[in-house]
Amino acid sequence: MSVIEPHGAPAITCLHADDSLLVLVKPAGLLCVPGRGADKQDCLSARAQQRWPGALVVHRLDMATSGLVLMARSAGVQRALSQAFAERHVEKRYQAVVQGCMAAPAGGAWGSIDLPIAADWERRPLRVVDAAHGKPSQTRWRVLGHDAAAQTTRLELEPVTGRTHQLRVHLAALGHPILGDALYADAATAARTPRLLLHATRLAFAHPESGAWVQYALPADF
C-alpha cells in the first residue's frame, strides 16, 4: 500500500498498482474527476496522474462517497475495464449506515430494491424515482447489524445497475436515508454525521491482462 502526496494536498492511498491498473482509495469529499471552475480541479484522477502519468478513469464514485476506485494505465485496459463494468462483470459492494431499523429478510437473505430512476431536471443534479420515465435500477441489500440506541441499521449493498446516486435514492425512497446525506435525507438525518456514511468496500473482476480473478477490499472507517 502506498500513498500519493501532491503538493499541499491530503494523502491518497493506493491499495494496488501494476502495469495495467491502479486500485485507489477515494476519501469522502474529493471529486473523482475535475469539475467546472478553478476551485474544482483537485480530484482523485489529477492526484493519481501526478504519480502515474497517463492514468485513465474507469468509473466514478460520488464526491460524498468514500472507497475503492479503479484507474487504468492504458487506453486498452480502460476499454476492457469499462466494458466489464457495462456488462456487469465487476462485483461491487458498499456499506452504509441508514436511519431507522430495517427489518432483515428471513434467514439473513438479500433483499432487492427495484425502482426506476430518472434525472430531476428542475433540481439537477438530483435524481428521483420515476415510474414513467426512469431507467430500470436494481439494488441488492442485506442487514449487517442494528444499533437500537441510535436507531440505525448498517447495510451491505450491491448495485446491480449503476445509475447516478442509485444507492442514495433507493434507500431514501424506502424511508431509510443514509446518514449524512445532504441531498436525499431529511435535515435531521443529514446533520447526524459530518459526512455521508457510504463506502465502496469491495471490487472483484477478471484482470484485463492475466484473466485471473482478483478482488480488493477495504472496510468502512465509520
Side-chain angles (χ1 to χ4, degrees):
M1 183 182 293
S2 62
V3 171
I4 313 163
E5 296 190 56
H7 299 297
I12 293 295
T13 300
C14 176
L15 202 64
H16 171 83
D18 61 32
D19 291 340
S20 300
L21 57 84
L22 309 169
V23 182
L24 305 176
V25 181
K26 189 189 85 64
L30 182 69
L31 291 165
C32 269
V33 297
R36 294 180 180 177
D39 61 331
K40 295 183 176 63
Q41 297 310 295
D42 180 32
C43 60
L44 185 74
S45 60
R47 295 187 193 184
Q49 287 159 1
Q50 292 185 9
R51 173 64 177 83
W52 293 279
L56 299 166
V57 172
V58 174
H59 68 119
R60 305 178 189 183
L61 295 178
D62 293 347
M63 181 177 177
T65 304
S66 61
L68 299 180
V69 174
L70 280 179
M71 291 189 70
R73 301 191 66 185
S74 70
V77 170
Q78 183 191 41
R79 285 192 296 272
L81 290 174
S82 297
Q83 183 175 1
F85 272 95
E87 295 177 354
R88 303 178 186 174
H89 294 158
V90 177
E91 293 183 6
K92 300 172 288 182
R93 296 283 175 87
Y94 293 73
Q95 280 192 21
V97 178
V98 302
Q99 179 68 34
C101 292
M102 290 183 68
W110 288 78
S112 182
I113 306 169
D114 189 353
L115 296 171
I117 294 175
D120 188 341
W121 295 109
E122 295 183 356
R123 300 186 301 155
R124 286 177 289 178
L126 295 183
R127 291 329 195 242
V128 65
V129 171
D130 186 333
H133 304 102
K135 294 181 179 179
S137 308
Q138 295 87 34
T139 298
R140 299 178 70 240
W141 63 276
R142 68 185 182 106
V143 171
L144 297 178
H146 295 103
D147 185 332
Q151 286 292 293
T152 60
T153 305
R154 181 178 290 267
L155 300 176
E156 184 172 24
L157 302 164
E158 182 181 37
V160 178
T161 52
R163 309 301 177 203
T164 299
H165 298 174
Q166 176 177 312
L167 302 178
R168 300 164 72 175
V169 171
H170 272 172
L171 290 166
L174 293 188
H176 295 283
I178 301 174
L179 267 60
D181 193 341
L183 295 181
Y184 298 101
D186 58 274
T189 301
R192 290 192 65 176
T193 65
R195 58 152 294 187
L196 177 73
L197 298 192
L198 178 63
H199 178 82
T201 59
R202 182 174 182 270
L203 288 170
F205 53 93
H207 194 284
E209 297 293 348
S210 68
W213 188 254
V214 295
Q215 51 188 339
Y216 303 95
L218 186 71
D221 62 358
F222 50 78

